[in-house]
Amino acid sequence: MTEPFHRRVLLSLDAQAYGSRGDHQQLELQRALTQVVAEAAGRAGVDLAAADRQAAGDGMLIILAPGSSEVAPVDAFPRELVRALRDYNGGDRGDSPRLRLRLAVHQGLVATGDNGYPGAGVVVVARMVDSGPARAALKAASAADLVLLVSRTIYFDLVVQSHTSLQPQAFRQVEYETKEGAEVAWLSVPGGDAHALDLSGESSDASGAGHAGTAAEIPASVDAAAPTKARVVVNGGVHGGNVVQGTLHGTAFNFGIQTGDRHDG
């Protein structure tokens, strides 16, 4: 039996505020979306002709052909997509609002099914692009036309290992909820600062690479001479001699801390 699943690079795009547009504006958005994606892909060297695609009105799933470059969809394609969006939004759009997109990139095993594309990777990339942090970032970065999210595999294998021109520090690790529990992704705003965005209304960040460290938040009632239980949020290092017990994202821990001597990590 031939194995139906193959490892593919997956891109999911979704447009902001599709449902609030009128009929003719939705028609224009769909036309513009396919136009800017085709322009960006052509300039970035992403072969859409050989890819599988699934349209969704205000978005699309792109499954690149086996053996396609993993670097171009993460590096050149988002850069060229920003350029294509800028050209479109700066032109004559009539009464249509700006076209602003969320883009998620992942890789995983995918098959061609009778009614779509089965595979855990497709589920992951769809959830990333529709996640609370992705939506909050595009809303908060009002001057931006694009936010980019990449999965753990893409971030550590390509970005951290310098296979792209992207800097790991430009990405912000974010946490989002799924039916199976919390997941993480790495978020960037091309040309902007993802770390400056307030995403608290949608989901709390998971601390990690690219985060600016902050000192632990210790209630004033904690007695340094008598260890006690406290809920502590740590994004940076905390150093000292006494021990505080508590929970960090639901996990019990012990660490040293000395009152009045906190150091950002």
Side-chain angles (χ1 to χ4, degrees):
M1 179 179 177
T2 303
E3 170 57 47
F5 288 88
H6 301 278
R7 188 163 297 279
R8 315 273 290 271
V9 177
L10 311 168
L11 298 90
S12 183
L13 296 111
D14 197 76
Q16 183 187 52
Y18 181 78
S20 64
R21 301 180 186 226
D23 292 352
H24 293 286
Q25 291 177 337
Q26 289 183 2
L27 183 65
E28 169 59 18
L29 184 148
Q30 292 190 20
R31 185 201 66 78
L33 175 63
T34 57
Q35 173 188 312
V36 298
V37 168
E39 289 178 1
R43 292 195 291 250
V46 173
D47 189 357
L48 291 184
D52 291 313
R53 282 184 280 179
Q54 182 169 289
D58 60 343
M60 66 176 69
L61 170 68
I62 302 172
I63 304 173
L64 299 183
S68 297
S69 168
E70 297 178 16
V71 174
V74 183
D75 196 341
F77 179 66
R79 184 169 59 248
E80 293 299 337
L81 191 55
V82 169
R83 176 182 168 188
L85 286 167
R86 183 174 62 243
D87 291 345
Y88 171 76
N89 289 329
D92 182 10
R93 306 190 311 274
D95 64 348
S96 292
R98 284 167 59 198
L99 175 58
R100 306 180 71 221
L101 301 176
R102 304 185 304 276
L103 167 65
V105 185
H106 180 47
Q107 60 169 300
L109 295 174
V110 186
T112 301
D114 292 336
N115 192 37
Y117 298 95
V122 174
V123 175
V124 169
V125 77
R127 287 176 171 176
M128 283 170 55
V129 81
D130 197 42
S131 66
R135 291 178 176 275
L138 192 58
K139 182 178 179 180
S142 58
D145 292 324
L146 179 74
V147 296
L148 168 67
L149 289 94
V150 300
S151 64
R152 182 187 301 273
T153 301
I154 296 294
Y155 178 75
F156 283 105
D157 286 0
L158 298 180
V159 179
V160 173
Q161 294 300 324
S162 302
H163 292 294
T164 74
S165 65
L166 307 176
Q167 297 299 312
Q169 295 81 4
F171 286 81
R172 173 177 176 174
Q173 186 177 336
V174 295
E175 183 176 290
Y176 61 98
E177 294 297 324
T178 72
K179 295 178 181 178
E180 289 77 31
E183 295 290 346
V184 295
W186 279 258
L187 182 149
S188 174
V189 180
D193 182 3
H195 302 284
L197 302 179
D198 180 8
L199 308 182
S200 59
E202 295 288 345
S203 176
S204 57
D205 290 336
S207 61
H211 272 68
T214 57
E217 297 175 359
I218 309 295
S221 61
V222 171
D223 183 354
T228 185
K229 291 185 177 181
R231 180 170 179 81
V232 184
V233 178
V234 181
N235 284 333
V238 183
H239 309 283
N242 297 313
V243 174
V244 173
Q245 296 177 318
T247 57
L248 179 60
H249 300 299
T251 303
F253 66 97
N254 294 281
F255 64 84
I257 183 168
Q258 180 176 334
T259 303
D261 185 20
R262 301 183 300 177
H263 303 278
D264 292 347

